[in-house]
Amino acid sequence: MATKVKKKSFFNKFLDGIETVGNKLPHPVTLFFIFSLAVVIISHIAAKAGVSVEFNMLDRSTLESKMTTIEAVSLLNKEGIRFMFSEAVSNFTGFAPLGTVLVAMLGVGVAEGTGLISALLRKLVMSTPKRLITVVVVFAGIMSNIASDAGYVVLVPLGAIVFLSFGRHPLAGLAAAFAGVSGGFSANLLIGTVDPLLGGISTEAAKIIDPNYFVFPTANWYFMIASTFLITILGTIVTERYVEPRLGQYKGDSKIEEIGDISAQEKKGLIFAGISFVVFIAIILALVVPANGILRADDGTIIGHTPFMDGIVPIIMLFFLIPGLFYGIGAKTLKNDKDLAKTMGQSMATMGGYLVLAFVAAQFVQYFAYTNLGTILAVNGAAFLEATGLTGLPLIIGFIIVSAFINLFIGSASAKWAIMAPVFVPMLMQVGKGYSPEFTQVAYRIGDSTTNIISPLMPYFAVIVAFAQKYDKDTGLGTLISTMLPYSLVFLAGWVVLLLVWFLIGAPIGPDAFIFLN
């Protein structure tokens, strides 16, 4: 009897098309070089044509509103050519993901090289039901954004390792973690570093209408909590129903470890690691919990630009390095300091390909910012939506879609909001009953999160490509975008539905924060 071949759905054919076209493009390093070259040429044409925009913008440092004119800046005039040559090194060394990745990988490399991660994963595999692993990976990704960018360099590669340990496709685990970390950026059970920043910008935008208005950092907290469960559920469904079946069985070179019992030496190592971990956490708590804790800001705050949050990357490094070191001592996989240094060096040796990719990606991102092309696109997009004449919920949905589109070109949530808030916060405060700035902010955050995972301009996108190439050397932008697109579309649709339900119920979106103005 002939085997019946299952026909692919139209959507799967569409994703296959994106992957095929995307992967026929040059290597990501070459592609980012071409992108950079395109920005150079387009910037010169736009500058010669006198392309500019005038808009009311909030200064993110002072939060003062002022009329600003932005002109396209050429990279082919004297100043632009000087910029490309003189700033090439600082563009690379100042590339946000670079230091974060390398510093965190020092600690992760020790934990992996000594065998700690392998032992913990075997314990995890033996004690966790297989059906719950996807839920755990997506949820952990969402919660990781409280630690700024650490989730990108810790949880995304860890998601791949966890899935591989369960005999599942590692790229599905990588995608699930990436979807949680980046696609779920505006969901969390806790208040993170971006909340006070966005609240401050919303406050100043609201003062255009009401000089006494104040948007608290907790303005979207209730909605964020509900969103955490929504994105966890949606991320799990997309991973298991669409992404993993499409990827099929993993046939790469990375080997699936045999899941066996933990040996006596490994148990001893885990005990050493556990004790050192508890001591490390106690020290960090002693530096953070007291009202005058050393890692608190001078005003006593923990969240925001505080020593604790600014130092989160070295804390993450020590979080892995210290237990990894003591595991190595207990399990006798480390015999002396030379072994430790060698292990750390080996973890850095694997980052060569990433460093090359980061160099060209950094130039592209900085060229785009220098030329003002992203800002011009954002302002024109906002002006287009304002000119449509939409009101009420259609305007809110249009606003979310425009925010998602602009996010493809400007990665920074605060930079986009500084441009869009002075336009949309006052406008929506005067529509119908008057939408609150808190509600406008939460709508913006939905659009801002959902397209992170498909934008090559997102600073960590190049990092994720490099992680994926560890398991499939042929992985390119096409593979990653086609893999992440279902998450992006489902998250956007699901979040819009949640917002509409929230609107119909009329529930508060945060403590003392409502949909309409009081």
Side-chain angles (χ1 to χ4, degrees):
M1 183 182 290
T3 304
K4 188 175 180 181
V5 179
K6 187 177 179 181
K7 289 185 68 177
K8 285 189 176 183
S9 67
F10 171 78
F11 188 61
N12 272 329
K13 289 179 181 178
F14 172 67
L15 293 178
D16 288 345
I18 291 177
E19 180 174 4
T20 301
V21 172
N23 286 347
K24 282 185 177 179
L25 295 171
H27 188 279
V29 171
T30 309
L31 202 56
F32 276 110
F33 173 78
I34 294 171
F35 286 166
S36 301
L37 189 61
V39 171
V40 171
I41 296 169
I42 293 169
S43 71
H44 187 67
I45 296 171
K48 284 291 185 182
V51 174
S52 65
V53 289
E54 187 178 43
F55 61 103
N56 193 26
M57 181 180 179
L58 293 174
D59 187 317
R60 283 183 289 157
S61 58
T62 63
L63 292 181
E64 292 179 357
S65 178
K66 59 182 179 181
M67 188 58 67
T68 306
T69 300
I70 296 291
E71 299 177 345
V73 178
S74 174
L75 280 165
L76 285 178
N77 58 20
K78 182 174 70 175
E79 292 76 15
I81 293 171
R82 285 177 175 175
F83 168 81
M84 287 190 286
F85 278 94
S86 63
E87 299 298 323
V89 174
S90 59
N91 288 346
F92 176 51
T93 57
F95 190 47
L98 183 66
T100 305
V101 171
L102 295 181
V103 172
M105 283 303 294
L106 285 173
V108 174
V110 171
E112 188 172 16
T114 58
L116 173 60
I117 289 180
S118 173
L120 287 175
L121 284 174
R122 277 183 283 145
K123 293 268 303 175
L124 177 69
V125 169
M126 290 186 290
S127 59
T128 305
K130 187 175 181 178
R131 61 182 299 180
L132 294 181
I133 282 299
T134 310
V135 176
V136 171
V137 169
V138 177
F139 177 75
I142 294 169
M143 292 302 297
S144 74
N145 64 52
I146 190 70
S148 189
D149 297 334
Y152 289 105
V153 295
V154 175
L155 275 171
V156 174
L158 195 59
I161 294 170
V162 169
F163 268 50
L164 186 62
S165 298
F166 273 79
R168 299 171 65 179
H169 203 297
L171 292 187
L174 180 144
F178 186 31
V181 172
S182 197
F185 190 71
S186 290
N188 211 294
L189 300 180
L190 304 170
I191 301 300
T193 54
V194 76
D195 296 284
L197 183 56
L198 295 183
I201 294 172
S202 298
T203 295
E204 296 306 313
K207 286 182 178 179
I208 296 172
I209 300 297
D210 182 354
N212 298 316
Y213 207 97
F214 187 84
V215 179
F216 289 93
T218 56
N220 303 146
W221 195 13
Y222 298 160
F223 190 84
M224 287 168 58
I225 291 172
S227 297
T228 302
F229 298 104
L230 173 73
I231 297 302
T232 300
I233 293 169
L234 294 181
T236 301
I237 292 171
V238 171
T239 302
E240 297 185 346
R241 298 278 181 89
Y242 296 99
V243 172
E244 200 164 9
R246 181 171 171 272
L247 289 170
Q249 186 177 358
Y250 179 61
K251 298 177 181 178
D253 297 330
S254 297
K255 294 181 180 179
I256 302 171
E257 284 193 28
E258 290 293 327
I259 306 300
D261 290 333
I262 304 295
S263 68
Q265 274 197 338
E266 287 175 325
K267 287 179 181 178
K268 184 178 179 181
L270 288 173
I271 292 171
F272 276 41
I275 294 171
S276 67
F277 175 75
V278 170
V279 172
F280 171 69
I281 293 299
I283 292 171
I284 295 298
L285 290 175
L287 296 173
V288 173
V289 173
N292 61 344
I294 292 174
L295 292 183
R296 286 178 178 253
D298 291 338
D299 62 0
T301 57
I302 299 174
I303 302 299
H305 285 294
T306 65
F308 174 68
M309 294 310 300
D310 291 342
I312 198 69
V313 174
I315 290 173
I316 292 290
M317 179 193 71
L318 294 173
F319 180 89
F320 286 92
L321 192 151
I322 291 174
L325 169 63
F326 280 89
Y327 174 87
I329 294 171
K332 295 184 179 178
T333 55
L334 285 181
K335 297 180 175 60
N336 50 47
D337 63 313
K338 292 179 182 177
D339 286 347
L340 175 63
K342 183 179 178 182
T343 302
M344 296 174 81
Q346 286 172 341
S347 69
M348 290 295 100
T350 62
M351 302 302 293
Y354 164 68
L355 292 176
V356 177
L357 185 57
F359 178 79
V360 288
Q363 308 309 318
F364 169 56
V365 170
Q366 289 303 316
Y367 288 1
F368 206 77
Y370 177 85
T371 57
N372 290 330
L373 294 179
T375 303
I376 291 169
L377 277 168
V379 174
N380 285 329
F384 167 77
L385 183 59
E386 189 177 11
T388 59
L390 293 173
T391 59
L393 282 178
L395 175 61
I396 293 293
I397 295 172
F399 174 56
I400 292 172
I401 293 171
V402 168
S403 299
F405 176 74
I406 292 173
N407 189 50
L408 293 171
F409 304 98
I410 302 180
S412 169
S414 59
K416 289 193 299 293
W417 193 223
I419 295 167
M420 300 178 73
V423 177
F424 289 103
V425 169
M427 179 170 67
L428 289 170
M429 287 175 76
Q430 299 174 85
V431 171
K433 298 179 183 178
Y435 293 108
S436 71
E438 292 89 346
F439 183 68
T440 305
Q441 179 179 291
V442 87
Y444 162 74
R445 296 181 74 172
I446 292 172
D448 173 63
S449 289
T450 50
T451 50
N452 280 336
I453 48 182
I454 58 171
S455 171
L457 268 167
M458 198 274 289
Y460 283 91
F461 200 82
V463 178
I464 309 304
V465 172
F467 285 146
Q469 287 176 340
K470 177 181 177 182
Y471 301 98
D472 183 354
K473 294 176 182 178
D474 295 327
T475 296
L477 295 183
T479 304
L480 188 57
I481 291 174
S482 65
T483 301
M484 301 312 299
L485 186 59
Y487 293 104
S488 186
L489 296 175
V490 171
F491 285 3
L492 181 60
W495 243 328
V496 168
V497 170
L498 177 64
L499 190 70
L500 293 178
V501 170
W502 211 281
F503 179 86
L504 293 173
I505 295 174
I509 53 179
D512 201 31
F514 303 93
I515 295 171
F516 295 104
L517 295 169
N518 291 330

